[in-house]
């Protein structure tokens, strides 16, 4: 399945440091899911088949409250709409891949693995096996941390109370800051930050994610078009 083992290993190597921010949330999910009434098997199966941390967390209290499948599906779709934007940015690099590989790699795409894969693609070119290595690292980390959360659930009541919840935003900042290398990227980052904070305060739900993405993408396209015209 892996044609270039070196590229696959490089994907694993570059993604592993970011998993320090993912692992505590997998533990927390394993503990939280059982407290919401899921069996250990259901908890692990959800991580392996859904593989979407935010969607999994938000769906648990909805399951416990007896929400319908349609409402749960719509809510989780809203939370994960950002994946459409991430997928769109990767699409030009993946267009020559067979449909089966596209579907397989899209299933394994998470925020951290996407960031590593797109950075590599933009810097030196896209590699299917590198992308696969990134995804495999994220998928296995989430699965293993979920299993440990299930096993350690009776001993750890709330792993995020240790302050480990800061690991996730710190991970995203580590991914973002090195990419702020010019005026356009700095302005887009500032717009995204301002819009997301304002929308989070003024609009209920997770709409701030979508609004910040769409508005900042629009601003970025406008700024880049202006730079091209100026040339």
């Amino acid at each position: 399945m892996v044609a270039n083992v070196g590229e696959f290993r490089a994907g694993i190597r570059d993604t592993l440091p970011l998993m320090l921010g993912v692992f505590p949330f997998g533990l927390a999910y394993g503990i939280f899911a059982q407290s919401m009434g899921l069996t250990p098997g259901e908890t692990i199966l959800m991580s392996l088949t859904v593989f979407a941390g935010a969607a999994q967390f938000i769906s648990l209290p909805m399951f416990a409250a007896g929400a319908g499948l349609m409402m749960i599906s719509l809510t989780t779709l809203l939370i994960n709409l950002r994946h459409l934007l991430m997928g769109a940015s990767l699409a030009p690099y993946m267009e020559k891949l067979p449909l089966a590989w596209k579907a397989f790699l899209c299933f394994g795409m998470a925020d951290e693995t996407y960031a590593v894969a797109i950075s590599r693609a933009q810097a030196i070119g896209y590699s299917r096996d590198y992308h696969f290595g990134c995804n495999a690292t994220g998928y296995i980390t989430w699965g293993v941390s979920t299993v440990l959360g299930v096993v350690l659930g009776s001993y750890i009541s709330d792993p995020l109370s240790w302050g480990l919840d800061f690991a996730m935003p710190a991970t995203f900042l580590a991914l973002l800051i090195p990419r702020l290398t010019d005026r356009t990227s700095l302005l887009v980052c500032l717009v995204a930050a301002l819009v997301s904070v304002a929308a989070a305060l003024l609009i209920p739900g997770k709409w701030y994610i979508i609004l910040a993405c769409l508005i900042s993408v629009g601003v970025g396209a406008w700024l880049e078009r202006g730079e091209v015209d100026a040339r």
Side-chain angles (χ1 to χ4, degrees):
M1 193 174 188
V2 176
N4 190 324
V5 176
E7 286 290 294
F8 181 74
R9 289 175 177 171
I12 295 173
R13 179 198 64 217
D14 293 346
T15 309
L16 268 177
L18 304 182
M19 296 300 100
L20 293 174
V22 173
F23 206 87
F25 284 85
L27 284 174
Y29 163 73
I31 295 169
F32 185 47
Q34 292 185 98
S35 72
M36 291 288 103
L38 267 64
T39 66
E42 290 169 340
T43 300
I44 296 169
L45 183 62
M46 190 176 188
S47 274
L48 297 180
T49 56
V50 177
F51 185 52
Q56 288 176 229
F57 270 103
I58 200 66
S59 66
L60 291 175
M62 297 180 73
F63 276 123
L69 183 60
M70 181 62 70
M71 180 59 67
I72 294 173
S73 299
L74 289 174
T75 301
T76 55
L77 175 63
L78 172 62
I79 292 171
N80 287 310
L81 278 178
R82 69 190 186 281
H83 284 254
L84 292 177
L85 298 172
M86 294 192 296
S89 68
L90 275 172
Y93 300 101
M94 302 173 65
E95 61 183 359
K96 295 182 180 179
L97 293 181
L99 180 59
W101 266 106
K102 291 178 181 178
F104 179 63
L105 292 173
C106 285
F107 167 75
M109 184 174 64
D111 297 294
E112 296 81 7
T113 59
Y114 160 77
V116 177
I118 193 66
S119 295
R120 165 67 179 265
Q122 292 174 340
I124 62 174
Y126 178 79
S127 166
R128 182 201 71 182
D129 295 321
Y130 181 89
H131 193 177
F132 181 28
C134 297
N135 285 4
T137 305
Y139 186 77
I140 291 171
T141 298
W142 186 250
V144 170
S145 59
T146 295
V147 171
L148 285 177
V150 168
V151 173
L152 300 176
S154 58
Y155 304 100
I156 305 174
S157 59
D158 182 11
L160 299 185
S161 65
W162 305 343
L164 294 177
D165 51 333
F166 182 71
M168 186 67 80
T171 296
F172 286 122
L173 286 173
L175 291 170
L176 172 66
I177 291 173
R179 299 181 65 83
L180 303 179
T181 57
D182 53 40
R183 173 177 171 272
T184 297
S185 61
L186 286 168
L187 286 174
V188 169
C189 177
L190 179 61
V191 169
L194 292 175
V195 171
S196 60
V197 171
L201 293 173
L202 299 173
I203 304 173
K206 301 294 182 179
W207 284 102
Y208 66 91
I209 299 173
I210 308 304
L211 289 172
C213 287
L214 292 176
I215 293 174
S216 59
V217 165
V219 170
W222 177 70
L223 290 171
E224 288 187 349
R225 182 179 179 181
E227 291 176 356
V228 171
D229 292 343
R231 295 171 190 167

